[in-house]
Amino acid sequence: MSQITNDWAAALKPEYSKPYYHKLYETIVNEYKTYVVYPPSEEIFTAFHLTPLSQVKVVILGQDPYHEKGQAHGLSFSVKPGIDTPPSLVNIYTELQSDLGCYIPNNGYLTKWADQGVLMLNTLLTVRAHQAFSHKGIGWEEFTDAAIRILNEQDRPIVYLLWGKPAQQKASMLDNPKHLILTAPHPSPLSAYRGFFGCKHFSKANEYLMQHGIEPIDWQIENIE
């Protein structure tokens, strides 16, 4: 696992000495030795690397990484260039088009969002190939909960986009009056029609940021030629 070196490092440092993290680390090392695991080990903490704590404006919580070859690279919902856009992200793009008029791009590479302060965090940071939720219960939940508690302590406006029940279960940890919590069904094809479509979370997030004098997010992902 590549080390987190920006301002998240000091904030998360207490976690590294806890028994659960020692066990988690040992488990993850063994998993990568024994199985095909995604994302590549050096990309486990991509969300933290690309979006420093001091820069977080919006938090998008996913569940666990994509579990097919070449998809996961450490940002929730994002896939690398050249990989087909997954169905949930297709639905996110559909809502973005309806909400803000964004065109639907030819890729699912969302680093542009991360670079602008959108923390795209999964509640689990690794997964075995072809086995969704295979790393549930090994310790990642405690680690990402710690990150969410750290975010909750930040004394500035932050918007949380909580899509689906697993993400919404984290709402009980969020009680900072400066933060806005937006909830909707998950954008997966199974549930998007139940209220994800039409939620207008992207415009609502930008309105909240602008109300507080913060630069809004440019949500348009450009085509890759």
Side-chain angles (χ1 to χ4, degrees):
M1 292 191 279
S2 61
Q3 208 168 1
I4 300 170
T5 56
N6 59 21
D7 57 0
W8 276 108
L12 288 166
K13 186 178 179 181
E15 300 306 303
Y16 302 142
S17 60
K18 293 180 180 179
Y20 89 83
Y21 193 86
H22 287 261
K23 187 177 178 184
L24 168 64
Y25 185 85
E26 290 173 4
T27 301
I28 289 299
V29 169
N30 188 58
E31 285 283 304
Y32 275 90
K33 284 180 181 175
T34 311
Y35 303 96
V36 176
V37 176
Y38 301 128
S41 60
E42 67 274 12
E43 295 180 335
I44 291 172
F45 294 127
T46 298
F48 297 102
H49 293 317
L50 292 185
T51 313
L53 176 59
S54 61
Q55 304 301 313
V56 175
K57 301 176 180 179
V58 178
V59 180
I60 298 179
L61 275 183
Q63 297 175 22
D64 70 335
Y66 295 124
H67 52 264
E68 298 302 328
K69 184 177 180 181
Q71 291 182 314
H73 67 106
L75 297 181
S76 60
F77 296 103
S78 180
V79 291
K80 291 182 177 181
I83 301 295
D84 289 343
T85 304
S88 291
L89 183 51
V90 169
N91 287 340
I92 290 170
Y93 284 160
T94 300
E95 173 59 21
L96 261 172
Q97 185 177 50
S98 169
D99 185 12
L100 290 172
C102 296
Y103 69 81
I104 295 177
N106 63 4
N107 68 93
Y109 194 47
L110 305 181
T111 53
K112 176 181 175 180
W113 293 356
D115 291 340
Q116 294 179 82
V118 182
L119 180 71
M120 304 170 63
L121 185 66
N122 283 313
T123 55
L124 310 177
L125 299 188
T126 55
V127 66
R128 285 186 194 172
H130 322 304
Q131 296 181 49
F133 295 109
S134 46
H135 284 174
K136 185 177 173 64
I138 66 170
W140 282 130
E141 294 93 338
E142 287 93 331
F143 185 77
T144 56
D145 279 0
I148 293 165
R149 282 193 294 269
I150 290 163
L151 288 163
N152 186 56
E153 294 166 359
Q154 301 306 299
D155 186 30
R156 65 179 192 277
I158 294 176
V159 182
Y160 297 84
L161 308 185
L162 304 182
W163 300 331
K165 287 182 180 175
Q168 288 164 22
Q169 287 168 353
K170 306 299 185 185
S172 61
M173 302 167 61
L174 303 172
D175 59 5
N176 189 321
K178 292 189 176 181
H179 296 178
L180 176 66
I181 299 169
L182 299 174
T183 63
H186 195 274
S188 79
L190 296 173
S191 56
Y193 66 92
R194 296 181 191 150
F196 178 77
F197 292 136
C199 70
K200 297 189 180 298
H201 278 188
F202 303 101
S203 59
K204 289 176 180 177
N206 276 354
E207 286 165 12
Y208 192 76
L209 294 174
M210 287 188 290
Q211 284 169 9
H212 292 86
I214 299 170
E215 184 79 19
I217 306 299
D218 176 5
W219 293 105
Q220 179 68 69
I221 299 295
E222 285 82 14
N223 284 335
I224 294 176
E225 299 303 326

